[in-house]
């Protein structure tokens, strides 16, 4: 609080949240050859195609690795200056942000490594003239498969660097950052354990303080930060979230690899396994299951996984890729309603690698009001799987802990729109899924209403938008305010009372969210 007061109030929250709308990342489209012309061209065509076909279009964009002024575009590259590469972005980032804004893109973010770039700071560049640098030797690591010397801004000077850096980004119209390569300090030969933590703390203090000041809540995507020290450090310094959608975003797994066939099932399996702990961390953190590329044979699996992850949903790729997948059928034509928490892995999956086991990867998500549970089912095995889904057991393991009480239930299967009404959720619900296929089952309790003369009973529930995954998440308040009256003769063919006591017409009310309205 003292720090925030010293630097003025933090930036206000942005109206467009990263977890409440669809986004776009440039990485798998351009890799490090990203440019102003490339980004604007792809997004222009993508938005044109999307609006012409009533598909959801991105509301935010991440300009990933490749936009900065560096000595080279690889793991040995060093950051020379704060400004964007003038050859790729001749109008700096402001020109790109303005062009994207005209397309309806509400927010643009920029990628960078925690210590500037993969190879640190260029000792002969512009930044070296203004900030004190220290030389270290970087050991081989999986992320950067080479040893090298790196120059880093000193702990004493890094706060000034981040203030200048984020102030420049803010002036360019950037409203959030994706901060990558955060666990890098552990690769420095000269640092022991306490010195590593000291460097982490200095850089994190500088980065997070500047981010709050210039970007406000939900202004950071934490990437390559899955170490206990960084996670705990982040939890201790989270900004108050003004809403469930204005949350900080933390990557929940390794990267998405569109061109590695064996990675797709593993990616979903790892994210659900990691969610066992990440879902317990803090409601102000949302797990990021990374982007995905539409139009590929496994894209349906990735789309469903992101929708049911409770984290951000963002895509990559060309307009052609985008046009080959009906995203509207999965998330609706406009926006999305994120779930309150990621799926809880079923106990049957805890001690087996589901990518090598002939069974389903299963998770369950309980809605905030505990009126329904969404059961997500994936086949991440390499062959067809036909197996039962143990609904009763999954409900018992879900966060409701039995609170999904009632005498009648409805089970809705998303892919077939099949509805099953029962008094007790059956022990099994058998599914057959091909490799990399998925399914969502919504189990909702039904409210009971009696006629005024108590001669008829009605069981009812609202299962929301059945055309998309997690469609029940749009229900803000389930069936209430029931009014019943005797039906006119023209209605004799419908609404027949199960009690045989005459014809009744029931008027039911539920409140659902539609965009920003109810």
């Amino acid at each position: 609080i003292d720090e925030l007061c010293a630097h003025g109030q933090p930036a206000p929250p942005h109206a467009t949240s990263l977890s409440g709308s669809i986004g776009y990342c440039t990485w798998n489209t351009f890799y490090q050859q990203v440019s102003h012309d490339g980004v604007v061209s792809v997004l222009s065509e993508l938005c044109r195609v999307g609006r012409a076909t009533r598909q959801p279009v991105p509301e935010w964009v991440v300009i990933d690795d490749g936009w900065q002024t560096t000595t080279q575009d690889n793991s040995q590259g060093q950051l020379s200056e704060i400004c964007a590469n003038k050859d790729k972005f001749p109008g700096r980032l402001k020109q790109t942000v303005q062009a994207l804004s005209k397309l309806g893109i509400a927010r643009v973010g920029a990628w960078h490594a925690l210590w500037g770039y993969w190879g640190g700071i260029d000792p002969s560049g512009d930044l070296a003239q203004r900030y004190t640098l220290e030389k270290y030797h970087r050991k081989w690591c999986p992320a950067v498969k080479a040893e090298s010397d790196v120059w880093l801004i000193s702990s004493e000077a890094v706060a000034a660097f981040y203030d200048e850096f984020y102030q420049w980004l803010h002036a360019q119209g950037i409203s959030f950052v994706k901060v990558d390569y955060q666990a890098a300090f552990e690769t420095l030969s000269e640092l022991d354990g306490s010195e590593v933590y000291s460097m982490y703390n200095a850089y994190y203090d500088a980065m997070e303080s500047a981010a709050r000041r210039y970007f406000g809540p939900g202004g950071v995507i934490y990437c390559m930060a899955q170490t206990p020290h960084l996670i705990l450090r982040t939890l201790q310094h989270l900004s108050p979230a003004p809403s469930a959608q204005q949350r900080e975003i933390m990557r929940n797994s390794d990267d998405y690899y569109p061109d590695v066939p064996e990675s797709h099932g593993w990616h979903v399996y790892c994210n659900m396994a990691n969610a066992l702990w990440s879902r317990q961390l803090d409601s102000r953190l949302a797990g990021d299951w990374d982007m995905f590329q539409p139009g590929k044979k496994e894209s349906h699996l990735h789309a469903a996984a992101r929708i049911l992850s409770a984290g951000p949903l963002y895509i990559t790729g060309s307009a052609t890729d985008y046009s080959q997948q009906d995203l509207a059928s999965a998330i609706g034509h406009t926006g999305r309603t994120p779930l309150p928490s990621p799926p809880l892995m079923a106990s049957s999956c805890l001690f087996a690698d589901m990518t090598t086991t002939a069974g389903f990867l299963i998770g369950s998500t309980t809605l905030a009001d505990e009126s329904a549970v969404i059961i997500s089912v994936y086949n991440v095995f390499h062959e067809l799987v036909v197996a039962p889904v143990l609904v009763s057991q999954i409900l018992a393991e879900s966060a409701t802990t039995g609170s999904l009480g009632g005498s009648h239930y409805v089970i809705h299967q998303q892919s077939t729109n099949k509805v099953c009404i029962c008094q007790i959720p059956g022990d099994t619900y058998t599914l057959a899924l091909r490799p990399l296929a998925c399914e969502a089952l919504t189990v909702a309790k039904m409210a009971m209403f009696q006629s005024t003369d108590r001669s008829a009973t009605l069981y009812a529930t609202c299962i929301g938008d059945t055309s998309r995954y997690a469609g029940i998440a749009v229900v803000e308040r389930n069936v209430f305010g029931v009014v019943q009256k005797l039906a006119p003769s023209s209605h004799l063919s419908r609404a027949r009372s199960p009690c045989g006591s005459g014809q009744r017409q029931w008027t039911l009310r539920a409140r659902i969210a539609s965009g920003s309205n109810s």
Side-chain angles (χ1 to χ4, degrees):
I1 292 175
D2 291 338
E3 181 182 74
L4 290 177
C5 290
H7 294 283
Q9 294 297 316
H14 202 281
T16 300
S17 73
L18 303 185
S19 58
S21 55
I22 187 172
Y24 182 91
C25 182
T26 64
W27 178 244
N28 290 110
T29 310
F30 302 103
Y31 294 101
Q32 289 162 320
Q33 302 311 308
V34 64
S35 67
H36 166 81
D37 289 342
V39 171
V40 175
S41 175
V42 166
L43 267 298
S44 295
E45 181 63 10
L46 194 149
C47 289
R48 184 194 67 79
V49 170
R51 294 188 176 110
T53 57
R54 297 195 69 230
Q55 292 292 315
V57 296
E59 296 182 45
W60 52 273
V61 170
V62 180
I63 301 176
D64 213 288
D65 186 6
W67 68 268
Q68 294 170 286
T69 301
T70 60
T71 57
Q72 49 187 315
D73 288 334
N74 56 38
S75 62
Q76 304 302 314
Q78 298 170 317
L79 186 65
S80 301
E81 60 175 291
I82 282 175
C83 298
N85 184 304
K86 62 182 180 182
D87 295 325
K88 298 178 180 180
F89 294 86
R92 303 305 190 185
L93 295 182
K94 179 176 286 188
Q95 180 188 22
T96 308
V97 172
Q98 291 173 342
L100 293 178
S101 177
K102 292 178 182 178
L103 299 175
I105 306 297
R107 299 185 70 178
V108 180
W111 175 99
H112 70 85
L114 182 59
W115 59 26
Y117 200 64
W118 297 105
I121 307 298
D122 178 7
S124 60
D126 178 67
L127 290 173
Q129 310 306 313
R130 303 200 305 278
Y131 298 105
T132 302
L133 302 186
E134 296 174 340
K135 185 179 180 181
Y136 296 93
H137 181 73
R138 178 175 59 183
K139 298 174 288 187
W140 185 96
C141 68
V144 180
K145 298 176 174 60
E147 290 193 33
S148 63
D149 290 334
V150 293
W151 294 84
L152 304 180
I153 294 173
S154 69
S155 298
E156 294 75 21
V158 72
F161 163 74
Y162 264 105
D163 186 77
E164 180 189 4
F165 186 21
Y166 283 4
Q167 185 179 41
W168 182 84
L169 288 175
H170 178 73
Q172 297 292 305
I174 297 299
S175 64
F176 67 97
V177 287
K178 175 182 176 181
V179 185
D180 208 341
Y181 200 35
Q182 294 193 27
F185 289 108
E186 296 175 20
T187 67
L188 303 180
S189 301
E190 293 84 355
L191 302 183
D192 62 22
S194 61
E195 291 170 324
V196 167
Y197 294 147
S198 178
M199 288 284 281
Y200 274 142
N201 290 338
Y203 270 70
Y204 252 51
D205 283 342
M207 182 269 290
E208 292 180 326
S209 177
R212 286 193 298 269
R213 189 154 57 250
Y214 295 109
F215 308 133
V220 178
I221 297 177
Y222 292 83
C223 194
M224 289 180 69
Q226 287 181 301
T227 66
H229 177 73
L230 294 183
I231 293 168
L232 293 174
R233 174 68 181 69
T234 301
L235 291 174
Q236 291 171 347
H237 295 79
L238 283 175
S239 302
S243 71
Q245 293 187 9
Q246 294 289 355
R247 296 178 291 178
E248 302 290 351
I249 307 297
M250 177 175 284
R251 278 286 296 278
N252 195 61
S253 72
D254 193 5
D255 291 354
Y256 160 72
Y257 299 104
D259 301 320
V260 182
E262 63 272 18
S263 72
H264 300 297
W266 177 256
H267 186 89
V268 176
Y269 170 66
C270 280
N271 270 287
M272 194 178 290
N274 285 346
L276 285 168
W277 59 263
S278 62
R279 72 196 306 275
Q280 306 293 335
L281 294 178
D282 194 288
S283 60
R284 291 169 294 175
L285 272 179
D288 174 13
W289 292 28
D290 203 10
M291 71 196 94
F292 73 96
Q293 185 173 331
K296 301 175 78 69
K297 65 179 183 179
E298 70 281 347
S299 297
H300 187 74
L301 173 85
H302 286 292
R306 305 314 189 273
I307 293 165
L308 299 171
S309 74
L313 186 156
Y314 54 122
I315 61 175
T316 188
S318 68
T320 301
D321 299 328
Y322 170 79
S323 67
Q324 293 174 355
Q325 183 166 356
D326 182 11
L327 288 176
S329 65
I331 62 175
H333 297 291
T334 59
R336 62 189 288 255
T337 304
L339 296 173
S341 63
L344 174 67
M345 182 184 281
S347 61
S348 59
C349 308
L350 288 179
F351 302 107
D353 177 356
M354 299 311 298
T355 65
T356 60
T357 304
F360 291 138
L361 173 64
I362 300 175
S364 62
T365 303
T366 305
L367 295 194
D369 65 355
E370 298 190 341
S371 64
V373 173
I374 298 175
I375 301 175
S376 46
V377 186
Y378 304 93
N379 180 9
V380 295
F381 189 55
H382 62 272
E383 295 179 359
L384 171 74
V385 173
V386 180
V389 177
L390 305 179
V391 176
S392 296
Q393 179 178 327
I394 293 168
L395 292 181
E397 295 174 357
S398 71
T400 56
T401 319
S403 63
L404 195 67
S407 61
H408 284 70
Y409 303 82
V410 61
I411 301 177
H412 174 257
Q413 184 175 340
Q414 196 276 336
S415 66
T416 63
N417 221 17
K418 177 182 175 182
V419 172
C420 171
I421 298 175
C422 51
Q423 286 188 286
I424 299 175
D427 288 335
T428 62
Y429 197 100
T430 300
L431 295 175
L433 296 179
R434 293 185 176 89
L436 301 183
C438 56
E439 183 61 87
L441 301 176
T442 297
V443 184
K445 62 184 177 183
M446 305 184 79
M448 184 186 76
F449 303 97
Q450 286 190 319
S451 60
T452 52
D453 61 2
R454 296 188 176 277
S455 63
T457 302
L458 174 72
Y459 293 93
T461 191
C462 178
I463 54 178
D465 184 352
T466 60
S467 67
R468 53 173 158 161
Y469 284 94
I472 197 168
V474 304
V475 180
E476 292 183 341
R477 184 179 177 189
N478 217 310
V479 175
F480 70 99
V482 173
V483 176
Q484 64 89 25
K485 62 181 180 180
L486 288 177
S489 58
S490 60
H491 289 260
L492 290 180
S493 61
R494 354 179 190 158
R496 294 190 176 275
S497 167
C499 300
S501 57
Q503 314 307 323
R504 287 184 171 81
Q505 180 175 298
W506 303 77
T507 300
L508 307 110
R509 255 182 222 137
R511 182 159 60 241
I512 66 170
S514 176
S516 58
N517 302 314
S518 294

